[in-house]
């Protein structure tokens, strides 16, 4: 029933949370309080514990911890507090937490980290969150942090066709690209968000909540913080082409499968492209002051992508140069400071 | 909540289905028809699909496939057929299958084998099935094949204390041992079955079914088929002690953590030691004609146990000798032919 995308640029290469644009730059602690407040304010107990004894939570794109374990502890404790405060006659429920990530995620490593004192039952659910993963109306709460900006694929046919308006040579992303390129990326992101939300609309109970944390960019700007990685990497790859280490065509065909939406874009998708979801809160966090990305983090996040497209030798050369250039990379472009994290809570109402 | 036994002789060493006494000797095909018949005859639709849309199945001690995948396909198809035959107005449910095994099982390998055309949602649930794994009343069907004969520990204090009536020197199992030793093993098996069933009594819905397939022995006999492995291995270890390769004391302290119950013993446990379970069918299969166990299978199943207790060198010597003696092992003891598989279906009725 769950079929992984056949030709998935990401599968097996790396996992969402290794992304330096998210993992190292914004730790869970920075929005833990928001999560507690969301549950306190927006969780409506009357929608839960009527059809089932357990409160069921899914973390989509969980990776191997420790972020997911911190988040699940926070959510279960906040829901318990809400029940206690509500004085519900049916008592505090048991919890069942589903840890989801692609089938190539290292679930063995995650399971080995489960804390002995965890206060929930736990399962690993392998598969793409762009499709169905759970039975109908079987989730009370969905959490998805720093995962949806990874696209399951880039819109290849548009970006790599010289006759297309969205042909994207000389660049590895939509940053500094013509509008048509940005639109192609946004189109792919929109399609994937629609898949994700339409699957969850089947799986969430009426009144169920979904919290998404998404690395994005400020309204009206083009630069997510990750520009600081993409732009020098782009220059390095073009230099390698000029030097004949790799064909120019090969570089032109390389596009990173990531999109960093603005709050406005995200609102439009949720409100206009899906049915049944209501935005109950949306806030942005300016990301913590951005350190230069160390090469080993870059290697973990993009090494797989580079190797898959260019082969080991060229990928290693690009990473080596990046390492040498690190001292010159910081604040190369002042506009790069517009990166934000978008924290959005949506509620599902069955029609 | 789920805590693995701290000092578990098995953990990380091997998994239940590598046991040559089960995996290679009795394949799923041999009782697939029984499973289909059980569902057709004993599944009572009125107990399901009232509180939840999905039909939830757990395979306890699933290992890494392919047995578990065959079994889950068979069960889901048989349940669907039952629904179709019943003409239920609420239609055929979705299925959620939970694959359980110890946290040291290779879930990554299992997940990678999930068939693309599977007709159920799937999750991996790591942890010991002797404790709680699922929320209350959240399972419709439990399947547990060739797993419960592995004890989570041997009753050490009794078997290794020279002052105990159940002191068990010169033997590595309860086979050919005095009654007190057999009783100690049976006591441990009983305790673990009680834990398993009392956890499931919490987790099964009223009317939920549980099918257990257990390698055992015929009523009134002492020899499971695996005697054919244990007895020569015992002789080899005692020979190594005589030759000074290992201390006699070390051999005396080694006891294999497995118990092969008779149908009568199993009935007594289910009927007298648990609350809420009713035996709806119990049959035995005489095991297929038993080939000599190849050393590589023996190595997979018992190598870990031997290495943990004796160290690599002695374990390798024991396995090498076993390999050399294989030609003489077959039908060493005619009484060894009494091994059976017990197939038992129990139904849970909430009091």
């Amino acid at each position: 029933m769950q079929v992984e995308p056949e030709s998935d640029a990401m599968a097996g290469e790396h996992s969402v949370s290794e992304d330096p644009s998210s993992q190292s730059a914004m730790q869970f602690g920075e929005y833990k309080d928001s999560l507690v407040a969301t549950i306190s304010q927006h969780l409506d107990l009357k929608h839960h514990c009527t059809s089932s004894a357990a409160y069921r939570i899914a973390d989509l794109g969980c990776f191997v911890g420790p972020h997911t374990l911190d988040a699940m502890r926070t959510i279960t404790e906040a829901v318990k507090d809400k029940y206690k405060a509500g004085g519900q006659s049916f008592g505090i429920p048991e919890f069942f937490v589903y840890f989801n990530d692609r089938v190539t995620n290292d679930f063995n490593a995650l399971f080995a980290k489960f804390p002995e004192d965890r206060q929930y039952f736990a399962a690993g659910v392998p598969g793409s969150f762009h499709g169905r993963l759970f039975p109908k109306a079987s989730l009370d709460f969905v959490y998805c942090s720093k995962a949806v900006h990874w696209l399951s694929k880039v819109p290849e046919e548009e970006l790599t066709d010289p006759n297309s308006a969205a042909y994207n040579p000389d660049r590895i992303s939509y940053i500094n690209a013509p509008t048509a390129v940005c639109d192609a990326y946004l189109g792919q992101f929109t399609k994937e968000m629609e898949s994700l939300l339409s699957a969850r609309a089947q799986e969430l109970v009426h009144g169920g909540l979904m919290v998404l944390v998404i690395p994005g960019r400020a309204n009206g700007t083009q630069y997510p913080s990750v520009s600081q990685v993409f732009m020098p990497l782009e220059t390095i790859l073009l230099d390698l082409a000029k030097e004949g280490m790799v064909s120019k065509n090969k570089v032109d065909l390389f596009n990173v499968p990531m999109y960093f939406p603005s709050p406005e874009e995200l609102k439009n998708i949720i409100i206009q492209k899906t049915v049944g979801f209501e935005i109950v809160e949306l806030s942005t966090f300016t990301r913590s002051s951005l350190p230069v990305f160390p090469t080993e983090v870059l290697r973990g996040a993009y090494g797989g992508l580079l190797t898959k497209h260019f082969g080991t030798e060229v990928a290693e050369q690009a990473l080596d140069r990046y390492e040498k250039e690190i001292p010159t990379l910081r604040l190369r472009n002042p506009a790069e400071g517009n990166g934000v994290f978008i924290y959005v809570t949506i509620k599902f109402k069955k029609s």
Side-chain angles (χ1 to χ4, degrees), chain A residues 38-342:
Chain A
T38 295
I39 291 167
S40 168
Q41 286 164 38
H42 300 293
L43 182 69
D44 191 345
L45 296 182
K46 75 168 186 282
H47 296 308
H48 306 286
C49 283
T50 50
S51 65
S52 166
Y55 192 92
R56 294 146 301 174
I57 302 163
D59 183 3
L60 306 179
C62 65
F63 195 42
V64 299
H67 175 122
T68 185
L69 299 171
D70 290 342
M72 293 306 107
R73 179 192 289 263
T74 298
I75 293 171
T76 50
E77 287 177 357
V79 173
K80 268 188 202 174
D81 287 344
K82 179 80 181 181
Y83 272 83
K84 283 180 195 158
Q88 297 297 315
S89 57
F90 37 79
I92 293 169
E94 292 183 328
F95 289 88
F96 203 173
V97 173
Y98 301 110
F99 294 90
N100 158 261
D101 209 321
R102 288 168 183 278
V103 69
T104 49
N105 186 48
D106 189 349
F107 284 95
N108 292 344
L110 171 64
F111 293 169
K113 284 181 198 155
F114 281 172
E116 290 200 0
D117 65 345
R118 68 186 156 89
Q119 297 295 306
Y120 50 81
F121 300 108
V125 176
S128 162
F129 55 58
H130 296 117
R132 287 285 305 279
L133 293 165
F134 304 94
K136 282 177 201 154
S138 68
L139 296 177
D140 296 284
F141 194 101
V142 171
Y143 174 76
C144 181
S145 173
K146 300 180 272 185
V148 299
H149 63 296
W150 276 105
L151 302 175
S152 71
K153 70 183 200 74
V154 284
E156 293 287 4
E157 56 295 347
E158 298 168 76
L159 299 184
T160 60
D161 175 2
N163 299 318
S164 155
Y167 181 47
N168 196 35
D170 303 325
R171 280 175 301 273
I172 65 168
S173 75
Y174 64 90
I175 294 163
N176 287 337
T179 309
V181 173
C182 300
D183 287 350
Y185 265 97
L186 174 58
Q188 182 66 28
F189 178 77
T190 303
K191 229 186 292 180
E192 298 197 4
M193 280 297 291
E194 283 181 63
S195 306
L196 182 155
L197 293 174
S198 108
R200 299 302 85 71
Q202 297 279 310
E203 297 165 358
L204 275 163
V205 299
H206 175 72
L209 290 178
M210 184 160 174
V211 170
L212 293 156
V213 181
I214 306 172
R217 60 189 210 286
N219 286 329
T221 71
Q222 203 187 10
Y223 299 101
S225 301
V226 80
S227 315
Q228 206 173 8
V229 180
F230 287 175
M231 288 162 64
L233 195 58
E234 190 172 279
T235 306
I236 288 166
L237 288 167
L238 289 168
D239 285 349
L240 289 177
K242 270 183 216 148
E243 294 162 29
M245 308 297 293
V246 61
S247 80
K248 173 69 166 51
N249 187 47
K250 195 97 180 159
V251 177
D252 288 348
L253 295 177
F254 181 66
N255 292 289
V256 175
M258 295 176 100
Y259 187 75
F260 301 87
S262 69
E264 278 308 319
E265 288 169 352
L266 200 60
K267 270 190 207 169
N268 286 342
I269 294 170
I270 295 169
I271 294 169
Q272 291 172 19
K273 302 280 186 180
T274 71
V275 173
F277 286 103
E278 178 197 334
I279 297 175
V280 296
E281 60 178 339
L282 188 153
S283 49
T284 56
F285 292 77
T286 303
R287 60 188 315 149
S288 312
S289 79
L290 199 62
V292 169
F293 293 113
T295 317
E296 61 270 23
V297 179
L298 183 80
R299 202 177 287 272
Y302 302 107
L305 274 182
L306 289 169
T307 303
K308 183 159 182 170
H309 188 85
F310 294 106
T312 313
E313 203 187 335
V314 173
E316 283 303 315
Q317 278 183 328
L319 292 165
D320 284 352
R321 289 206 187 183
Y322 183 90
E323 188 161 27
K324 286 195 193 100
E325 291 186 18
I326 279 184
T328 69
L329 295 181
R330 198 170 168 79
L331 294 181
R332 198 172 162 134
N333 183 335
E336 289 165 18
N338 295 316
V340 295
F341 270 86
I342 306 170

